[in-house]
Amino acid sequence: MAYWNWDPSYNIGIEEIDNQHKKIVQYINELHEAFVLNDKNIVKNTLFNITEYVISHFSFEEKLMEEAEYPQFMHHKSIHENFVSSIGKYKIAFNEGRDITGQLMAELQIWLTQHILIEDRAYKESVQKMLNSKNTVKKSDKHTWFKKIFN
Ligand SMILES: [Fe+2]
């Protein structure tokens, strides 16, 4: 059984963002599996993957907020930066041989839920408006545009 199941109440209503959040939940579940198996190598790989993914997800969100001229952009960005530095501390602790997996999973879960429900939901309107204005282009082009902004 998964450690954490996605709940539809976490959806903010922007499909690409929701999919990325789901992927983070999936990584947290992988971290839990590694924790249960007590496999340090899988923990290490998952820690690496989750950090990379979270950073790219944050930069994706930031590009959207910036493009949308979201007034709280800088504040939201600083929340992301603090979180990334907090994950970095866990990575250092792990590399020093400390068993941080349980604590990290709990922190990720609490942090992500709060962040999605409060801060991410707050930018939804601005970003959605900006995306709708881009929607005058064809749907297939929108996909390309998403890809372009993500890479
Ligand atoms: Fe965010």
Side-chain angles (χ1 to χ4, degrees), residues 17 20-21 24 53-61 120 150:
I17 298 285
Q20 291 178 15
H21 286 154
I24 298 174
Y53 192 79
V54 163
I55 290 172
S56 67
H57 163 67
F58 284 170
S59 86
F60 181 77
E61 277 190 352
D120 286 348
F150 192 42

Side-chain angles (χ1 to χ4, degrees), residues 7 14 28 36 87:
D7 188 281
I14 298 171
I28 295 172
V36 171
I87 302 186

Side-chain angles (χ1 to χ4, degrees), residues 9-68:
S9 69
Y10 303 147
N11 285 323
I12 68 163
I14 298 171
E15 200 185 351
E16 184 66 27
I17 298 285
D18 290 334
N19 287 339
Q20 291 178 15
H21 286 154
K22 283 179 195 161
K23 180 86 185 157
I24 298 174
V25 169
Q26 209 176 305
Y27 274 127
I28 295 172
N29 283 325
E30 272 179 40
L31 202 57
H32 178 250
E33 276 169 42
F35 178 63
V36 171
L37 292 171
N38 201 14
D39 188 320
K40 284 214 155 72
N41 268 332
I42 307 180
V43 170
K44 196 176 178 178
N45 285 337
T46 314
L47 258 178
F48 177 80
N49 291 338
I50 204 167
T51 312
E52 293 293 293
Y53 192 79
V54 163
I55 290 172
S56 67
H57 163 67
F58 284 170
S59 86
F60 181 77
E61 277 190 352
E62 286 162 15
K63 279 176 192 156
L64 288 177
M65 286 186 275
E66 204 174 10
E67 178 99 13

Side-chain angles (χ1 to χ4, degrees), residues 58 61 76 80 115 120 123:
F58 284 170
E61 277 190 352
H76 198 126
H80 285 168
H115 187 65
D120 286 348
Y123 71 58

Side-chain angles (χ1 to χ4, degrees), residues 5-148:
N5 287 309
W6 179 262
D7 188 281
S9 69
Y10 303 147
N11 285 323
I12 68 163
I14 298 171
E15 200 185 351
E16 184 66 27
I17 298 285
D18 290 334
N19 287 339
Q20 291 178 15
H21 286 154
K22 283 179 195 161
K23 180 86 185 157
I24 298 174
V25 169
Q26 209 176 305
Y27 274 127
I28 295 172
N29 283 325
E30 272 179 40
L31 202 57
H32 178 250
E33 276 169 42
F35 178 63
V36 171
L37 292 171
N38 201 14
D39 188 320
K40 284 214 155 72
N41 268 332
I42 307 180
V43 170
K44 196 176 178 178
N45 285 337
T46 314
L47 258 178
F48 177 80
N49 291 338
I50 204 167
T51 312
E52 293 293 293
Y53 192 79
V54 163
I55 290 172
S56 67
H57 163 67
F58 284 170
S59 86
F60 181 77
E61 277 190 352
E62 286 162 15
K63 279 176 192 156
L64 288 177
M65 286 186 275
E66 204 174 10
E67 178 99 13
E69 295 174 8
Y70 175 56
Q72 298 297 312
F73 168 63
M74 288 313 287
H75 173 63
H76 198 126
K77 195 172 186 241
S78 76
I79 294 173
H80 285 168
E81 282 161 1
N82 288 340
F83 186 66
V84 170
S85 90
S86 147
I87 302 186
K89 283 179 199 145
Y90 278 105
K91 274 177 101 175
I92 293 168
F94 177 83
N95 289 332
E96 284 169 350
R98 280 186 275 154
D99 187 6
I100 46 86
T101 323
Q103 212 185 325
L104 174 63
M105 280 185 320
E107 186 171 326
L108 281 171
Q109 185 177 16
I110 294 165
W111 189 90
L112 191 68
T113 313
Q114 288 305 306
H115 187 65
I116 292 173
L117 293 176
I118 300 164
E119 284 100 15
D120 286 348
R121 193 150 286 177
Y123 71 58
K124 183 203 161 163
E125 209 183 306
S126 300
V127 168
Q128 191 74 71
K129 214 186 257 176
M130 180 274 291
L131 290 175
N132 289 344
S133 73
K134 302 255 173 201
N135 249 351
T136 42
V137 288
K138 279 183 275 143
K139 248 201 158 173
S140 57
D141 290 343
K142 186 186 153 204
H143 185 68
T144 316
W145 180 80
F146 258 129
K147 266 187 143 169
K148 212 170 77 192

